[in-house]
Amino acid sequence: MIKKCLYPVAGYGTRFLPATKSMAKEMLPIVDKPLIQYAVKEAMDAGLIQQAFVTGRTKRSIEDHFDISYELESEIKGSAKETQLQEIRDIRDNCVFTYTRQPEMKGLGHAILTGEPMIGDEPFGVILADDLCITEGDPVMAQMVGLYKQFRCSIVAIEEVPKEETRKYGVIAGTQLQEDLFKVSDMVEKPAPEDAPSNLAIIGRYILTPDIFDYIRNTPPGTNGEVQITDALLAQARNGCVMAYKFKGKRFDCGSLHGFVEATNYCYEKFHDPSE
Ligand code: UTP
């Protein structure tokens, strides 16, 4: 089924300057784990074991994170600290990793197109690691893979946002098929509240069918010269089918300072063992 997951991680992360001047935003930790590790674990738990990264300058630490660190491994071998490396070892043992660079930041759509040689002609997941999703049951990507088996078309994850925040998101309109599922008829990137077709905002989880690459190729750059994935998805929705899925779980916008601090506090309370 779906085996590959794409991570566009080439962005500058300017909202976290100066921290992100020479380090990857995706390596910022929520408690003790970098954002990108939460993302890859989510994909792996959904059966997506081929991890494809679209990286940029200053992002080399992501590659190192998923590689073996022999010195460190031998240093802590046999000590209690070994358990802290358990999850990353599981990921390393069960996944394969590929990397390519997006030399110029020309938008999320362009970043996804840059990943085409790593994906090929098959459906794939996309995770934006700065949207951290915490769930009680299945992770969000696993929920979406279940839906893909049913509908076999592109799926975007959505959540209801306050109307005054629509400017931060791609916003959809569509026909409601189930309580948590819409067939997309319209999509607008970062609309003003008065222009937004709804308050259903796209978050950083997608399943895309490979024809999306042709739609992106035919998408002209929009504002700031960026190629928006929203525009390509709208074309795909008009010619075929795109579903929007209200996922079960909690999302934190860790690309913003507020969301990052909120996620840190939430995860510390929820997952941290006070005896440690
Ligand atoms: P954002 O605009 O939220 O991330 O892009 P950013 O540019 O890194 O952050 P700020 O706004 O400057 O603080 C959403 C996602 O798309 C990726 C980013 O890495 C992020 O994961 N992206 C965006 C690319 O990989 N390439 C691009 O050209 C644009």
Side-chain angles (χ1 to χ4, degrees):
M1 268 295 281
I2 304 183
K3 286 281 166 234
K4 293 182 180 171
C5 191
L6 188 71
Y7 305 86
V9 293
Y12 291 120
T14 51
R15 283 169 288 175
F16 276 89
L17 283 171
T20 47
K21 185 168 171 287
S22 64
M23 82 174 254
K25 172 173 74 172
E26 296 75 14
M27 287 303 294
L28 289 171
I30 299 296
V31 188
D32 55 1
K33 232 172 25 170
L35 281 165
I36 196 68
Q37 187 173 329
Y38 287 93
V40 173
K41 171 88 168 98
E42 180 181 329
M44 185 177 83
D45 288 346
L48 281 60
I49 51 160
Q50 298 184 34
Q51 319 298 350
F53 296 79
V54 177
T55 72
R57 292 175 291 281
T58 78
K59 304 283 177 158
R60 212 168 285 169
S61 53
I62 294 177
E63 210 166 324
D64 291 341
H65 187 70
F66 293 106
D67 198 356
I68 292 183
S69 169
Y70 284 106
E71 250 178 62
L72 177 69
E73 302 257 349
S74 75
E75 189 67 32
I76 66 165
K77 197 170 171 38
S79 81
K81 288 185 182 146
E82 250 192 317
T83 55
Q84 287 170 251
L85 290 185
Q86 197 50 53
E87 183 178 289
I88 190 78
R89 282 177 178 167
D90 281 350
I91 289 175
R92 211 169 54 207
D93 291 347
N94 290 295
C95 298
V96 290
F97 297 84
T98 50
Y99 301 86
T100 194
R101 280 198 180 191
Q102 184 190 20
E104 286 180 281
M105 306 317 133
K106 292 188 188 165
L108 180 56
H110 180 263
I112 292 173
L113 185 58
T114 305
E116 184 181 16
M118 298 187 291
I119 299 295
D121 191 23
E122 54 188 285
F124 61 104
V126 175
I127 295 184
L128 304 186
D130 42 12
D131 267 344
L132 175 65
C133 293
I134 307 285
T135 57
E136 295 297 334
D138 281 347
V140 177
M141 189 48 77
Q143 296 172 32
M144 294 172 73
V145 166
L147 268 183
Y148 178 80
K149 286 180 184 157
Q150 209 181 331
F151 293 100
R152 307 267 164 171
C153 67
S154 290
I155 304 169
V156 297
I158 51 167
E159 78 173 8
E160 288 188 44
V161 297
K163 194 92 185 181
E164 60 276 14
E165 288 184 16
T166 55
R167 253 182 241 280
K168 294 197 228 160
Y169 301 94
V171 177
I172 69 123
T175 313
Q176 189 159 14
L177 303 180
Q178 298 167 18
E179 193 270 319
D180 56 2
L181 193 67
F182 296 78
K183 186 166 189 285
V184 173
S185 58
D186 197 11
M187 260 185 203
V188 189
E189 183 62 22
K190 301 191 171 65
E194 59 277 20
D195 301 326
S198 74
N199 69 336
L200 299 171
I202 302 171
I203 64 123
R205 298 290 181 282
Y206 307 76
I207 286 179
L208 301 174
T209 51
D211 54 324
I212 196 70
F213 295 124
D214 282 333
Y215 285 109
I216 301 174
R217 258 186 287 276
N218 291 322
T219 300
T223 34
N224 311 329
E226 295 200 338
V227 178
Q228 305 292 355
I229 187 64
T230 314
D231 296 336
L233 277 165
L234 178 57
Q236 196 181 39
R238 290 195 170 146
N239 287 306
C241 177
V242 174
M243 294 288 177
Y245 168 60
K246 237 197 242 182
F247 68 94
K248 290 174 191 63
K250 201 167 166 49
R251 178 193 70 108
F252 297 93
D253 173 12
C254 296
S256 75
L257 292 178
H258 178 81
F260 182 83
V261 172
E262 223 184 12
T264 302
N265 290 332
Y266 182 87
C267 290
Y268 184 77
E269 288 297 322
K270 198 168 170 67
F271 304 122
H272 189 71
D273 177 356
S275 66
E276 278 175 17

